[in-house]
Amino acid sequence: MEFQQLDPAKSYYRRWSTADYVIIGLAAVGFVSVFGIPVSVLLFVIYRMSESKIYVSDIDNRSVKFWVRKIDWKAYCETHGKNMFNSYRPQRVTTSQQEAAAATNTQNNNLDQLAKLKELLDQGVLTQEEFDAKKKQLLDL
């Protein structure tokens, strides 16, 4: 079996594997028997500790499913704020690098707009008051 690497810039989510369905089924059957609850809890704990591969998909291409190492998935979850309860949910997550890039793009866009407004002020199309008001708005002052 070939494991794939996770791209930290992409958003992934965990898929349900056959082993997940088997464990859930056995746990459900165990709950209705006399010693079912302790056996089901033990079964779940053993399953969580023993699995070495995780079945995942990219949010942008959900039809493609692949296996990754458990340690790689744990590292991805730690850096992207995923946990046991939301890892199966196909939600988009942003990393601090993506947030920083978006903030830089917004700042650059605002500076470009400010430069264009300055040209309009120099040409006499805008008054100083209009320029100052728009500058204050763009720079969040």
Side-chain angles (χ1 to χ4, degrees):
M1 170 179 299
E2 183 98 10
F3 292 108
Q4 292 193 12
Q5 294 294 320
L6 297 172
D7 182 359
K10 290 186 176 183
S11 294
Y12 298 97
Y13 69 102
R14 186 173 176 168
R15 301 297 295 239
W16 290 95
S17 67
T18 305
D20 293 327
Y21 289 120
V22 168
I23 293 297
I24 290 170
L26 289 174
V29 169
F31 273 122
V32 296
S33 69
V34 176
F35 298 107
I37 294 174
V39 170
S40 296
V41 170
L42 182 63
L43 183 66
F44 180 74
V45 168
I46 291 170
Y47 167 71
R48 294 296 293 172
M49 291 173 56
S50 67
E51 64 181 349
S52 62
K53 58 188 179 204
I54 306 292
Y55 201 39
V56 299
S57 280
D58 183 352
I59 287 181
D60 295 326
N61 192 0
R62 295 181 185 188
S63 62
V64 176
K65 303 168 190 166
F66 54 92
W67 293 98
V68 296
R69 288 184 179 85
K70 183 178 182 180
I71 194 161
D72 295 337
W73 180 249
K74 284 180 76 172
Y76 174 82
C77 288
E78 287 173 7
T79 58
H80 290 79
K82 287 189 165 282
N83 58 37
M84 165 178 181
F85 301 107
N86 69 3
S87 65
Y88 290 94
R89 225 176 302 144
Q91 62 188 13
R92 193 164 304 283
V93 292
T94 57
T95 62
S96 58
Q97 292 172 339
Q98 290 170 325
E99 291 170 352
T104 301
N105 288 341
T106 302
Q107 185 178 14
N108 288 341
N109 188 26
N110 287 348
L111 292 175
D112 290 341
Q113 287 182 3
L114 194 58
K116 290 176 185 176
L117 290 172
K118 176 66 173 148
E119 288 178 19
L120 292 174
L121 175 66
D122 293 342
Q123 294 172 0
V125 176
L126 291 177
T127 65
Q128 185 65 42
E129 292 80 23
E130 292 170 328
F131 174 78
D132 290 340
K134 193 64 176 173
K135 176 181 170 184
K136 189 175 184 181
Q137 178 187 0
L138 288 173
L139 298 178
D140 291 329
L141 297 176

